[in-house]
Amino acid sequence: MRLQNKVAIITGAASGFGEGVAKRFAEEGARVVVADLNAKGAARVAKEIGDNAIWTQTDVSQRSEFDEMVYAAKSAFGRVDIMVNNAGYTHRNGDMLGVDEQTFDLITAVNM
Ligand SMILES: NC(=O)c1ccc[n+]([C@@H]2O[C@H](COP(=O)([O-])OP(=O)(O)OC[C@H]3O[C@@H](n4cnc5c(N)ncnc54)[C@H](O)[C@@H]3O)[C@@H](O)[C@H]2O)c1
Protein backbone atom coordinates (compact mmCIF):
# COMPACT_ATOMS: atom_id res chain seq x y z
CA MET A 1 0.00 0.00 0.00
CA ARG A 2 2.22 2.75 -1.30
CA LEU A 3 -0.23 5.59 -0.64
CA GLN A 4 -1.46 4.63 2.83
CA ASN A 5 -2.74 7.72 4.71
CA LYS A 6 -2.21 10.02 1.73
CA VAL A 7 -4.97 12.33 0.54
CA ALA A 8 -5.20 12.92 -3.20
CA ILE A 9 -7.32 15.16 -5.40
CA ILE A 10 -7.75 13.90 -8.96
CA THR A 11 -9.37 16.26 -11.43
CA GLY A 12 -11.19 14.92 -14.47
CA ALA A 13 -11.75 11.71 -12.51
CA ALA A 14 -15.25 10.88 -13.80
CA SER A 15 -13.81 8.98 -16.77
CA GLY A 16 -10.70 7.91 -18.64
CA PHE A 17 -7.25 8.28 -17.13
CA GLY A 18 -8.55 10.21 -14.11
CA GLU A 19 -11.00 7.46 -13.17
CA GLY A 20 -8.20 4.93 -13.45
CA VAL A 21 -5.85 7.03 -11.33
CA ALA A 22 -8.49 7.57 -8.62
CA LYS A 23 -9.28 3.86 -8.37
CA ARG A 24 -5.63 2.84 -8.40
CA PHE A 25 -4.71 5.41 -5.74
CA ALA A 26 -7.53 4.10 -3.55
CA GLU A 27 -6.30 0.54 -4.03
CA GLU A 28 -2.91 1.77 -2.81
CA GLY A 29 -4.47 3.13 0.38
CA ALA A 30 -5.12 6.77 -0.49
CA ARG A 31 -8.26 8.70 0.34
CA VAL A 32 -9.33 10.42 -2.85
CA VAL A 33 -11.37 13.36 -4.07
CA VAL A 34 -13.00 12.53 -7.40
CA ALA A 35 -13.41 15.97 -8.99
CA ASP A 36 -15.02 16.59 -12.36
CA LEU A 37 -17.35 18.84 -14.32
CA ASN A 38 -19.47 15.72 -14.78
CA ALA A 39 -21.22 15.28 -11.42
CA LYS A 40 -22.98 12.06 -12.38
CA GLY A 41 -19.74 10.40 -13.44
CA ALA A 42 -17.83 11.68 -10.42
CA ALA A 43 -20.53 10.36 -8.08
CA ARG A 44 -20.42 6.96 -9.79
CA VAL A 45 -16.63 6.67 -9.47
CA ALA A 46 -16.65 7.76 -5.81
CA LYS A 47 -19.43 5.26 -5.03
CA GLU A 48 -17.48 2.47 -6.73
CA ILE A 49 -14.41 3.33 -4.64
CA GLY A 50 -16.37 3.43 -1.39
CA ASP A 51 -15.75 5.08 1.97
CA ASN A 52 -12.31 6.40 1.03
CA ALA A 53 -13.67 8.68 -1.68
CA ILE A 54 -15.72 11.82 -1.95
CA TRP A 55 -16.69 13.60 -5.15
CA THR A 56 -17.07 17.23 -6.15
CA GLN A 57 -18.56 18.91 -9.19
CA THR A 58 -15.70 21.17 -10.18
CA ASP A 59 -14.83 23.20 -13.24
CA VAL A 60 -11.06 23.54 -12.83
CA SER A 61 -11.02 26.67 -15.02
CA GLN A 62 -13.01 28.52 -12.33
CA ARG A 63 -10.89 29.64 -9.38
CA SER A 64 -13.79 29.69 -6.94
CA GLU A 65 -14.77 26.11 -7.82
CA PHE A 66 -11.14 25.00 -7.52
CA ASP A 67 -10.96 26.55 -4.05
CA GLU A 68 -14.22 24.82 -3.06
CA MET A 69 -12.75 21.49 -4.20
CA VAL A 70 -9.69 21.96 -1.98
CA TYR A 71 -11.93 23.03 0.91
CA ALA A 72 -14.03 19.87 0.46
CA ALA A 73 -10.88 17.72 0.51
CA LYS A 74 -9.62 19.33 3.72
CA SER A 75 -13.06 19.13 5.35
CA ALA A 76 -13.41 15.43 4.58
CA PHE A 77 -9.84 14.20 5.04
CA GLY A 78 -7.95 16.96 6.91
CA ARG A 79 -5.31 17.83 4.32
CA VAL A 80 -4.11 17.39 0.74
CA ASP A 81 -0.92 15.49 -0.08
CA ILE A 82 -1.23 14.83 -3.80
CA MET A 83 -2.76 16.90 -6.61
CA VAL A 84 -3.31 15.19 -9.96
CA ASN A 85 -4.16 17.88 -12.52
CA ASN A 86 -5.58 15.43 -15.03
CA ALA A 87 -8.63 17.34 -16.32
CA GLY A 88 -7.98 18.43 -19.84
CA TYR A 89 -9.66 19.75 -22.93
CA THR A 90 -8.57 20.28 -26.50
CA HIS A 91 -9.92 21.18 -29.93
CA ARG A 92 -10.84 18.52 -32.46
CA ASN A 93 -7.98 17.42 -34.67
CA GLY A 94 -7.65 19.84 -37.54
CA ASP A 95 -5.87 22.90 -38.85
CA MET A 96 -4.47 24.96 -35.93
CA LEU A 97 -5.48 28.15 -37.77
CA GLY A 98 -9.07 26.90 -37.60
CA VAL A 99 -9.13 27.08 -33.80
CA ASP A 100 -11.17 30.14 -32.82
CA GLU A 101 -10.17 32.41 -29.95
CA GLN A 102 -12.95 31.23 -27.64
CA THR A 103 -11.83 27.62 -28.03
CA PHE A 104 -8.18 28.58 -27.53
CA ASP A 105 -9.06 30.45 -24.33
CA LEU A 106 -11.06 27.48 -23.00
CA ILE A 107 -8.17 25.07 -23.70
CA THR A 108 -5.77 27.39 -21.89
CA ALA A 109 -8.08 27.90 -18.90
CA VAL A 110 -8.77 24.20 -18.36
CA ASN A 111 -5.32 22.81 -19.07
CA MET A 112 -3.29 25.45 -17.25
N1 LIG B 1 -6.29 9.87 -24.13
C1 LIG B 1 -5.12 10.24 -24.66
O1 LIG B 1 -4.62 9.64 -25.62
C2 LIG B 1 -4.36 11.39 -24.06
C3 LIG B 1 -3.09 11.68 -24.57
C4 LIG B 1 -2.35 12.72 -24.00
C5 LIG B 1 -2.89 13.47 -22.97
N2 LIG B 1 -4.14 13.18 -22.51
C6 LIG B 1 -4.64 13.98 -21.41
O2 LIG B 1 -4.98 13.16 -20.32
C7 LIG B 1 -6.07 13.75 -19.62
C8 LIG B 1 -7.22 12.76 -19.51
O3 LIG B 1 -7.54 12.30 -20.81
P1 LIG B 1 -8.65 11.20 -21.05
O4 LIG B 1 -8.34 10.57 -22.35
O5 LIG B 1 -8.81 10.35 -19.84
O6 LIG B 1 -9.93 12.13 -21.28
P2 LIG B 1 -11.49 11.95 -20.87
O7 LIG B 1 -12.22 12.84 -21.81
O8 LIG B 1 -11.88 10.52 -20.79
O9 LIG B 1 -11.52 12.55 -19.40
C9 LIG B 1 -11.37 13.90 -19.17
C10 LIG B 1 -12.23 14.24 -17.97
O10 LIG B 1 -11.98 15.60 -17.65
C11 LIG B 1 -13.23 16.20 -17.37
N3 LIG B 1 -13.14 17.63 -17.60
C12 LIG B 1 -13.09 18.29 -18.78
N4 LIG B 1 -13.03 19.60 -18.58
C13 LIG B 1 -13.05 19.79 -17.23
C14 LIG B 1 -13.03 20.93 -16.41
N5 LIG B 1 -13.00 22.18 -16.92
N6 LIG B 1 -13.03 20.76 -15.06
C15 LIG B 1 -13.10 19.51 -14.53
N7 LIG B 1 -13.13 18.39 -15.26
C16 LIG B 1 -13.11 18.53 -16.60
C17 LIG B 1 -14.24 15.51 -18.28
O11 LIG B 1 -15.57 15.65 -17.78
C18 LIG B 1 -13.73 14.08 -18.25
O12 LIG B 1 -14.33 13.33 -17.21
C19 LIG B 1 -6.46 15.00 -20.39
O13 LIG B 1 -5.82 16.11 -19.79
C20 LIG B 1 -5.90 14.73 -21.77
O14 LIG B 1 -5.62 15.94 -22.46
C21 LIG B 1 -4.88 12.16 -23.03
Side-chain angles (χ1 to χ4, degrees), residues 99-106:
V99 178
D100 61 45
E101 193 168 334
Q102 190 182 5
T103 303
F104 183 86
D105 287 346
L106 179 60

Side-chain angles (χ1 to χ4, degrees), residues 59-61 87-93 96 98-112:
D59 180 345
V60 298
S61 71
Y89 176 76
T90 192
H91 58 85
R92 286 177 166 278
N93 284 342
M96 191 65 196
V99 178
D100 61 45
E101 193 168 334
Q102 190 182 5
T103 303
F104 183 86
D105 287 346
L106 179 60
I107 293 167
T108 306
V110 174
N111 295 0
M112 294 180 190

Side-chain angles (χ1 to χ4, degrees), residues 31-98:
R31 288 166 290 168
V32 297
V33 178
V34 177
D36 206 290
L37 263 182
N38 173 0
K40 194 175 166 193
R44 174 188 60 78
V45 172
K47 188 177 174 194
E48 287 173 9
I49 291 171
D51 289 344
N52 284 336
I54 63 165
W55 63 275
T56 63
Q57 183 173 24
T58 305
D59 180 345
V60 298
S61 71
Q62 301 300 314
R63 179 62 193 243
S64 61
E65 294 189 26
F66 197 94
D67 289 344
E68 284 169 18
M69 173 188 72
V70 174
Y71 182 80
K74 289 182 174 172
S75 299
F77 300 130
R79 63 177 194 280
V80 177
D81 300 300
I82 302 167
M83 183 73 222
V84 181
N85 288 305
N86 166 76
Y89 176 76
T90 192
H91 58 85
R92 286 177 166 278
N93 284 342
D95 185 350
M96 191 65 196
L97 295 177

